[in-house]
Amino acid sequence: MDNHQDHTLEFEANGKCFPDAAQDHDGVFLKKAVEEAYAAVRCGDGGPFGAVIVRNGEIVVQCHNMVLRNADPTAHAEVTAVRMACQKLGRHELSDCEIYASCEPCPMCFGAIHLSRLKRLVYGTEAEAALAVGFDDFIADAIRGTAKYQKVHLEIKKADDLMMAKFQVNATQIPSFERELPPQRKTFAQT
C-alpha cells in the first residue's frame, strides 16, 4: 500500500471485498445497482431503479423495482431490497449493512432505509433524473421540501375530536408488549 491511507477495498472474482486495496468498492456495488435498474426495464418488472445491500463486503441481495410484476406500488427497488435482506438474514434491522441505490431514494424508500437501520446509503443519480424520465414528478421536491406538493386524486381529512373520542381507549386496557406476548410456537426441534 502507498504512503497515504487508502480506505478502499480490493475485489476477488466472487465479489468479496478485502481491506487495504486500491479499488473503489462504492463504484463496484453502485454499478451492480445500475445493472439491476436496466434489468427492471428490460424484463418489464418495473421502473429503472436498482438496489444492492452489502454486509462485510459481500452482497446480501441485489434487486430492482418490482412494481409492475408484483402489482404493488410499494415494491420500489430499495424497499424490495430491505425486505429481501431482512428475510435472508432473519432479522428486522440491518445496522451492519449498507445499501447502494441507482437513484436517490424517494421518501418511502428512505423511510425503509431509516427504519431498517442501514448504516450507509450510496446512490448514483439525484431524484431529478427520475423526473426526467417521467417518474413521480414530486419526489425531488418531497425529499428536499422545496416546492408545493401535487394533490393527485386524494382527499386528506383529519378526523375531528368528537369522532376520535369514540375510539379512545384507556391505556390500561391495552396489553403491555413486554409482559403479554403470545407464547412462542413450538418447532419440531422443540417437541
Side-chain angles (χ1 to χ4, degrees):
M1 195 159 143
D2 55 356
N3 291 342
H4 72 284
Q5 281 290 53
D6 191 346
H7 298 290
T8 57
L9 305 173
E10 181 178 299
F11 292 82
E12 285 188 330
N14 68 359
K16 184 170 172 133
C17 305
F18 295 95
D20 301 327
Q23 292 186 1
D24 174 18
H25 75 286
D26 286 349
V28 171
F29 293 129
L30 197 53
K31 182 178 181 213
K32 291 199 176 288
V34 170
E35 289 168 357
E36 284 290 334
Y38 279 103
V41 174
R42 196 172 36 256
C43 64
D45 286 344
F49 304 99
V52 175
I53 293 184
V54 175
R55 179 176 174 231
N56 297 328
E58 293 189 42
I59 293 175
V60 176
V61 297
Q62 63 184 66
C63 61
H64 53 258
N65 184 294
M66 300 290 283
V67 168
L68 298 176
R69 182 177 191 172
N70 295 349
D72 177 359
T74 68
H76 290 197
E78 299 90 338
V79 171
T80 301
V82 167
R83 289 174 179 161
M84 290 172 63
C86 288
Q87 287 180 342
K88 185 173 183 177
L89 297 174
R91 54 197 168 113
H92 70 277
E93 61 86 22
L94 304 170
S95 60
D96 59 345
C97 299
E98 40 195 19
I99 188 167
Y100 295 81
S102 60
C103 185
E104 183 176 11
C106 74
M108 176 186 69
C109 292
F110 185 76
I113 291 166
H114 172 73
L115 291 172
S116 65
R117 308 285 192 259
L118 281 155
K119 69 179 178 180
R120 189 163 178 255
L121 161 66
V122 178
Y123 64 87
T125 188
E126 293 182 345
E128 285 80 7
L131 302 177
V133 293
F135 285 90
D136 292 338
D137 54 355
F138 68 92
I139 288 178
D141 291 330
I143 291 169
R144 293 176 183 77
T146 57
K148 296 178 183 175
Y149 291 68
Q150 286 183 338
K151 293 186 179 179
V152 186
H153 312 299
L154 174 66
E155 178 184 344
I156 299 173
K157 176 185 176 187
K158 181 186 180 307
D160 62 31
D161 292 339
L162 183 60
M163 182 185 297
M164 288 308 296
K166 294 177 186 177
F167 301 108
Q168 295 298 322
V169 179
N170 185 329
T172 60
Q173 296 173 326
I174 300 172
S176 168
F177 181 73
E178 290 82 20
R179 59 189 156 96
E180 296 186 32
L181 285 175
Q184 295 291 330
R185 292 184 181 169
K186 288 188 177 183
T187 63
F188 290 109
Q190 293 173 322
T191 56

